[in-house]
Amino acid sequence: MPRYGMVIDTRKCVGCQDCVIACKTENNIPEGYNRDWIVTESHGKFPDIQMEIRTERCNHCSETPCVSCCPTGASHIHDVGGVVLVTHEMCIGCKACVEACPYDARYIHPDGYADKCTFCVHRVEKGEKPACVSVCPTYCMHFGDLDDPNSEVSKLLQSRKWHVNLPDAGTKPNIFYLV
Amino acid sequence: MNSLSRRKFLKISGATVVTAAALAGSAKTIVNAAESFSKKKGLEIIPSYCDLCFWKCGLLAYVKDGELWKVEGNPKDPLSNGRLCPRGTGGVGAHTDKERLKSPLIRKSERGEEKWVEVTWNEAFDYIAEKMNKLKINYGPESMALFSHGIGGSFFKHMMRAYGSPNETAPSFAQCRGPREVGFELTFGDVVGSPERTDIENAKCIVLIGSHLGENMHNTQVQEFSKAVENHASIIVVDPRFSVAASKAKYYLPIKPGTDIALLLAWMSVIVNEKLYDVDYISKYGTGYEQFTAEVSQYTPEWAYIETGIDPEVIRETAREMARYKPATLVHPGRHATWYGDDAQRSRAIALLNALLGSWGRKGGFYVPYSYSIPKYPYAPYPELKKEPLDNPNGKYPFATGEQISTGIREATITGKPYPIKGWFIYATNLIQALPNREETIKAIQNLDLMVVVDVIPSEIAGWADVVLPESVYLERYDDLNASPFREGFVGIRQPVIDAPNDQKPNWWMAKKLGEKLGLGAYFPWKNVEEYLDTRLKLKGHSLEELKKEGIIKGESQPIFFEDGVEPEFLTPSGKIEFYSNQLADAGFDPIPRFTKHPEPPSGYFRLLFGRAPVHTFSKTQSNPLLRDLFSENELWVNADLAERYGLKSGDKIKLKNQDGVVSDPIKVKATERIRQDCVYMVHGFGQKSRQLRSTYKKGASDAELVTQYKTDPLMGGTGMSVNFVTFEMEV
Ligand code: SF4
Ligand code: SF4
Ligand code: SF4
């Protein structure tokens, strides 16, 4: 069974937010909300500055506090690819998962349910890439099966240096940032 | 917006009323358009090309059950390669924007008070035609001037020529890329053009001088830049601000604003003195090289250090780095080039540096573009012009060729010389933000007998109009064909994918109807735009039906580099690359660029710099709900130490006062290490004051409002705008 993940090249990302807008139109995210977002981190004193730009979203973690805390079972792990999903109809909007996620990846949709990135599983199951990956004008995002050693994502992880966000949170995130 | 964490984001947007993205119902059918989309069931995917900026990327619009769902890149299109930039992806918001103009308006009180009567199209056209006919009788047809931006202006240009006016301009020349085109044409005999003929993707070394690719999202350029990063191209960024591109660079040169020519001269002196130039290329194609060397060799890096603040060793090292990768070293010409009033000469210095490196016409430098030219529509000849255009009387700016100077037309409108301008017809350009010195623009407007604005939103310039005509957005209309010069020849179509929500109309329809009222019906022999487009395409052996299917037809690929067989051709007077320009010498200008010092900000003042954000275009997109959601107001970048000295923290609101006492609207401070201490920076296009555009009203501050001073380029009339100084006003 595949384990879906993303490998994102921070060297190439320009922080343009195209991935955010593509997600919003693809998934009809209401005004004022978003499932992915950009973080720009800079260090140093002018003019000696290092800067990393990252596009962030739910890490579709392998250890999921957001699922284990859910009282209704709405928050669950999909049977394909280990994608972490929310069944809207079962969600009571109690916000337990919003609090449990160390990445701040969830929000309560105005219709009352917890919402977050789905890895565009509706596209992936048709053989397409997630909307953010397909739109990125810098081609900095890669999506695929981390358990397949021959996949593009696995190869990138083998050949380049990378980090994950909050490695100490114990969540085993499946989004990797190339540096 | 940096570090946009989810919570912060939710807080920022907490004030926004949450609305469903799609605009429901009430879709009227466009009269005269062939189809109506409102009733179709299921998913339709329709190709067209984007208009969120002038790049014209090919797109696929997804229309689900008659509603616009999303817009993606058209994989067949060479400009987008199937990926739009964030603005293009947010194009849906141009259609759903609730603040769009809905019906034609006629002014009912003083100009600029934004009080209107809604009228029918017929009434609007009658009003305009009567005034235009009167102007023609009283002052001649040349008393009307057209200001336009983008391809949508094409039918209005035709209308104005048929009417008999030679005065047609766009701020894209004298307020943007004009100096660049002039500098390159003087050197190589040809312009850089749009899209830029830069082979970024194959460049091994890229030099960006103030050009902030990645924040400036010209799609193909950004895509290629990313490939260059991937290929470990050596990137050299020169900018007073640590741009996104700077974060990808091997060398970042934090130059003192206004001193770029000094750096360019020093780079050239290193290359000349160390004999690092492309000897063969220069001896084959160059002329005036001896005079050039004699002059530039004196500009040592030590001399340039005093002006630019850049370490002489870094100047040497970067010059050698450029030479190491020649001819695949691209010194990017930039786009918005109107900075200090000596911009054509700066651009010429950039051209000369490229010439030394042999990159013009070479892989990894500048390619030779070609266009899949489609014959023009076979119109009857235009009436003979009785007067010359008046933007540049007596050739005051001798190298302003090809395009007209917008600010020249404005000046003539104020002075009435060399002849009166009494009517402005303005298409899709917000002159309030685009032209420097707002007071002069308003003064000119007050001299008019007629001012018509065609726009999709109630822009600031529309607020000054006598008649406002609401245009359907690009996703709702046909436009002229796009056959931009590029790496490969192609033609793209813009076609409607969805109905306009109200009584908005396409530009071609307005031009034809108004043309008919003006008695110019003979110049609009086509029944509708489909017939016009089909006629043009058939002249090239294609048809509208064929082009509509995939949105793009490509020509055969041809070589685009000298080394692949393109015959080098330099359309300069000498037929060579002019290291020494007799044209310039004869006109009394420096034949080889020289550095002159620019005034520096007085103590307590900072140079005001402005630029782009990836999600906005000029002042056109701020009300688009998808784009506004991510970037609703601009911030003032202030160096962190400087901010501390003034007791300013990020998020504090201040006003700016410029050297002439003009005070801005409040703007949030962004205290950052990413900028020098002698300048401040903001994204252009904000601080809008159209009362009808509530979502953007006074959101952030307007750089344009503070640009009361401008320095005119003596070569070509461009208006250098980075010559204004501001100080902080703490009381808000
Ligand atoms: S679209 Fe690509 S380049 Fe733009 S912010 Fe997202 S990941 Fe970065
Ligand atoms: S990022 Fe947050 S929401 Fe997503 S799987 Fe991990 S813990 Fe759960
Ligand atoms: S660069 Fe962006 S806004 Fe401009 S045409 Fe292309 S997709 Fe549209």
Side-chain angles (χ1 to χ4, degrees):
Chain A
M1 183 164 112
R3 177 170 57 107
Y4 289 141
M6 279 185 188
V7 174
I8 297 169
D9 192 343
T10 60
R11 260 178 50 220
K12 286 159 78 178
C13 175
V14 294
C16 70
Q17 308 194 71
D18 208 352
C19 45
V20 181
I21 301 174
C23 172
K24 292 196 64 159
T25 57
E26 175 71 27
N27 298 301
N28 260 313
I29 309 297
E31 214 172 305
Y33 299 89
N34 53 321
R35 286 178 175 178
D36 52 347
W37 61 94
I38 310 302
V39 173
T40 303
E41 258 177 27
S42 56
H43 305 282
K45 203 80 195 133
F46 185 84
D48 299 311
I49 293 167
Q50 291 79 46
M51 193 161 99
E52 180 175 291
I53 307 173
R54 289 192 302 272
T55 169
E56 298 190 350
R57 62 198 37 65
C58 168
N59 284 284
H60 297 272
C61 306
S62 295
E63 299 294 332
T64 48
C66 55
V67 171
S68 50
C69 75
C70 176
T72 66
S75 213
H76 67 284
I77 296 168
H78 190 50
D79 44 18
V80 180
V83 178
V84 178
L85 294 178
V86 182
T87 309
H88 297 163
E89 298 72 34
M90 286 168 71
C91 176
I92 54 172
C94 72
K95 298 189 190 165
C97 60
V98 176
E99 295 303 324
C101 169
Y103 301 98
D104 221 356
R106 297 176 170 232
Y107 68 97
I108 301 294
H109 190 280
D111 289 348
Y113 52 81
D115 191 44
K116 64 171 206 57
C117 162
T118 61
F119 266 174
C120 280
V121 71
H122 64 288
R123 291 170 61 101
V124 172
E125 286 176 352
K126 285 192 289 185
E128 296 168 8
K129 297 272 160 68
C132 53
V133 176
S134 318
V135 80
C136 174
T138 70
Y139 301 77
C140 78
M141 305 171 71
H142 307 269
F143 178 83
D145 180 5
L146 296 163
D147 280 348
D148 172 0
N150 291 317
S151 67
E152 185 193 27
V153 282
S154 299
K155 284 189 184 148
L156 281 166
L157 292 181
Q158 282 151 26
S159 63
R160 295 266 305 269
K161 281 200 182 127
W162 50 263
H163 69 84
V164 295
N165 280 347
L166 305 180
D168 299 335
T171 49
K172 297 197 184 144
N174 286 311
I175 294 186
F176 300 82
Y177 294 96
L178 301 177
V179 290
Chain B
M1 206 179 296
N2 286 338
S3 307
L4 186 71
S5 91
R6 165 159 315 281
R7 289 230 164 82
K8 190 171 149 218
F9 185 83
L10 290 179
K11 238 179 269 155
I12 294 165
S13 40
T16 336
V17 183
V18 176
T19 46
L23 188 70
S26 85
K28 279 191 196 168
T29 318
I30 308 177
V31 189
N32 277 0
E35 324 158 57
S36 164
F37 304 92
S38 49
K39 288 180 198 78
K40 287 189 184 156
K41 281 276 161 226
L43 182 66
E44 266 200 291
I45 303 173
I46 307 168
S48 187
Y49 68 83
C50 183
D51 193 37
L52 268 282
C53 84
F54 43 74
W55 205 258
K56 308 185 188 80
C57 295
L59 62 82
L60 298 176
Y62 286 67
V63 181
K64 214 187 333 191
D65 300 334
E67 290 207 23
L68 184 58
W69 167 26
K70 62 177 177 178
V71 184
E72 291 182 353
N74 182 351
K76 300 241 154 57
D77 166 54
L79 292 171
S80 74
N81 299 303
R83 293 172 184 234
L84 300 178
C85 89
R87 298 162 296 170
T89 305
V92 175
H95 169 69
T96 57
D97 188 343
K98 293 211 164 42
E99 294 188 293
R100 287 176 60 178
L101 290 164
K102 294 185 177 66
S103 74
L105 305 170
I106 291 184
R107 177 167 68 83
K108 72 169 179 195
S109 64
E110 290 300 301
R111 277 205 178 109
E113 286 186 357
E114 300 178 56
K115 302 231 169 86
W116 314 98
V117 192
E118 285 192 13
V119 296
T120 63
W121 281 98
N122 210 20
E123 287 165 334
F125 289 148
D126 278 340
Y127 181 97
I128 299 168
E130 195 201 313
K131 293 246 175 174
M132 280 179 73
N133 283 331
K134 260 197 209 141
L135 287 182
K136 199 179 211 171
I137 293 163
N138 295 340
Y139 302 98
E142 58 282 348
S143 64
M144 281 293 299
L146 173 69
F147 294 78
S148 79
H149 185 271
I151 197 157
S154 116
F155 292 100
F156 291 120
K157 287 182 192 170
H158 169 64
M159 183 189 84
M160 291 299 261
R161 286 290 281 108
Y163 172 79
S165 174
N167 296 308
E168 176 260 299
T169 188
S172 48
F173 181 73
Q175 279 71 49
C176 191
R177 61 188 167 81
R180 176 191 83 180
E181 307 301 31
V182 170
F184 272 69
E185 194 159 17
L186 282 164
T187 311
F188 296 114
D190 203 356
V191 298
V192 178
S194 178
E196 282 78 17
R197 60 204 290 176
T198 45
D199 186 21
I200 300 175
E201 86 178 293
N202 292 310
K204 300 205 175 86
C205 176
I206 299 170
V207 186
L208 298 176
I209 303 169
S211 174
H212 52 334
L213 281 183
E215 289 161 280
N216 175 355
M217 283 306 292
H218 298 149
N219 195 354
T220 328
Q221 301 249 323
V222 176
Q223 294 194 16
E224 291 194 19
F225 183 62
S226 157
K227 277 185 203 147
V229 171
E230 159 118 37
N231 297 338
H232 301 278
S234 175
I235 296 167
I236 300 168
V237 169
V238 180
D239 201 316
R241 187 180 64 98
F242 189 84
S243 59
V244 165
S247 75
K248 320 282 179 201
K250 180 168 174 191
Y251 297 94
Y252 168 54
L253 280 55
I255 195 165
K256 180 161 119 191
T259 66
D260 310 85
I261 295 182
L263 175 65
L264 286 158
L265 291 171
W267 271 341
M268 292 196 276
S269 86
V270 174
I271 291 174
V272 163
N273 292 336
E274 299 187 9
K275 303 209 170 2
L276 301 173
Y277 45 85
D278 189 330
V279 181
D280 280 356
Y281 184 90
I282 289 170
S283 57
K284 255 203 221 145
Y285 307 130
T287 176
Y289 184 68
E290 292 69 31
Q291 289 139 298
F292 170 80
T293 354
E295 184 159 331
V296 299
S297 56
Q298 60 178 310
Y299 299 116
T300 62
E302 283 68 22
W303 164 81
Y305 165 70
I306 297 167
E307 305 299 343
T308 62
I310 309 291
D311 181 340
E313 271 325 299
V314 172
I315 296 179
R316 282 200 179 84
E317 223 179 288
T318 44
R320 291 172 192 147
E321 183 86 354
M322 290 179 222
R324 180 170 312 136
Y325 294 109
K326 71 171 185 293
T329 293
L330 172 71
V331 187
H332 196 284
R335 186 165 180 116
H336 182 271
T338 42
W339 301 348
Y340 308 112
D342 54 3
D343 306 299
Q345 288 282 19
R346 183 187 67 251
S347 299
R348 179 161 147 75
I350 294 175
L352 288 167
L353 178 56
N354 279 297
L356 285 176
L357 297 163
S359 67
W360 181 262
R362 310 282 279 282
K363 195 166 174 181
F366 296 80
Y367 61 82
V368 181
Y370 64 101
S371 154
Y372 191 68
S373 58
I374 309 281
K376 291 201 165 113
Y377 189 92
Y379 287 124
Y382 291 127
E384 211 172 305
L385 294 174
K386 301 217 176 64
K387 297 220 169 112
E388 293 281 304
L390 52 38
D391 65 303
N392 186 16
N394 305 319
K396 184 172 169 198
Y397 304 109
F399 299 99
T401 48
E403 291 180 63
Q404 293 183 26
I405 304 169
S406 52
T407 24
I409 294 188
R410 180 178 75 177
E411 194 181 320
T413 310
I414 295 171
T415 60
K417 286 182 187 123
Y419 55 81
I421 288 280
K422 287 291 174 186
W424 281 10
F425 199 104
I426 301 167
Y427 174 77
T429 173
N430 182 8
L431 299 181
I432 297 293
Q433 299 269 354
L435 303 183
N437 194 317
R438 195 166 289 182
E439 232 172 72
E440 283 180 51
T441 306
I442 289 166
K443 202 166 159 194
I445 289 173
Q446 300 295 22
N447 273 357
L448 298 174
D449 289 351
L450 173 67
M451 174 159 150
V452 181
V453 169
V454 180
D455 214 329
V456 295
I457 49 167
S459 56
E460 291 164 292
I461 193 68
W464 290 91
D466 303 332
V467 187
V468 181
L469 303 177
E471 194 188 15
S472 37
V473 302
Y474 69 111
L475 293 162
E476 303 156 355
R477 66 175 198 244
Y478 281 103
D479 258 320
D480 217 332
L481 302 167
N482 176 32
S484 299
F486 195 55
R487 292 171 178 275
E488 48 189 322
F490 70 95
V491 55
I493 179 110
R494 179 172 291 153
Q495 59 178 325
V497 307
I498 187 117
D499 290 332
N502 313 95
D503 203 12
Q504 299 91 348
K505 301 284 188 204
N507 58 65
W508 63 264
W509 182 88
M510 294 183 218
K512 179 174 166 70
K513 292 287 157 188
L514 181 56
E516 285 164 0
K517 292 250 180 203
L518 289 166
L520 308 171
Y523 288 98
F524 294 90
W526 33 271
K527 198 164 79 257
N528 53 32
V529 72
E530 288 97 320
E531 189 184 310
Y532 164 89
L533 296 170
D534 196 46
T535 306
R536 286 192 66 193
L537 286 162
K538 288 220 165 102
L539 289 169
K540 183 87 177 179
H542 298 297
S543 71
L544 180 60
E545 206 192 329
E546 178 193 358
L547 183 57
K548 276 171 70 107
K549 271 187 217 132
E550 295 196 321
I552 298 279
I553 295 173
K554 287 191 190 176
E556 266 169 45
S557 73
Q558 289 178 24
I560 54 172
F561 299 113
F562 294 173
E563 58 264 48
D564 294 340
V566 177
E567 193 55 45
E569 194 184 15
F570 304 98
L571 299 172
T572 53
S574 63
K576 299 209 155 191
I577 302 173
E578 301 203 334
F579 283 93
Y580 180 97
S581 172
N582 284 316
Q583 287 193 82
L584 283 171
D586 292 349
F589 297 112
D590 294 335
I592 297 158
R594 286 202 177 138
F595 172 71
T596 35
K597 271 187 205 290
H598 294 290
E600 286 180 33
S603 137
Y605 281 78
F606 313 94
R607 189 182 295 272
L608 175 65
L609 301 178
F610 57 91
R612 305 283 300 265
V615 296
H616 286 296
T617 299
F618 316 141
S619 58
K620 282 169 176 253
T621 52
Q622 279 73 5
S623 69
N624 176 316
L626 277 162
L627 303 179
R628 186 184 69 219
D629 209 6
L630 300 185
F631 196 123
S632 59
E633 63 180 89
N634 58 357
E635 296 171 305
L636 185 74
W637 293 47
V638 181
N639 172 278
D641 291 343
L642 179 65
E644 202 183 310
R645 244 180 285 142
Y646 278 82
L648 291 170
K649 296 182 307 301
S650 284
D652 288 355
K653 281 207 163 184
I654 59 165
K655 291 181 181 174
L656 296 174
K657 185 165 89 181
N658 79 356
Q659 68 283 328
D660 297 321
V662 171
V663 179
S664 76
D665 288 315
I667 181 168
K668 277 189 194 142
V669 168
K670 170 188 166 116
T672 173
E673 288 294 344
R674 291 175 54 195
I675 190 166
R676 289 173 60 98
Q677 300 202 15
D678 52 5
C679 53
V680 292
Y681 171 87
M682 66 171 81
V683 168
H684 172 76
F686 286 83
Q688 297 189 24
K689 290 193 177 66
S690 163
R691 283 182 286 269
Q692 291 167 280
L693 215 47
R694 289 197 321 278
S695 63
T696 67
Y697 183 71
K698 294 196 179 183
K699 287 278 159 61
S702 165
D703 53 286
E705 187 175 19
L706 297 164
V707 176
T708 48
Q709 301 283 332
Y710 56 94
K711 202 150 176 265
T712 306
D713 193 314
L715 271 64
M716 47 65 70
T719 57
M721 295 184 279
S722 301
V723 299
N724 289 269
F725 306 129
V726 294
T727 185
F728 305 144
E729 294 253 294
M730 305 299 183
E731 304 298 317
V732 172

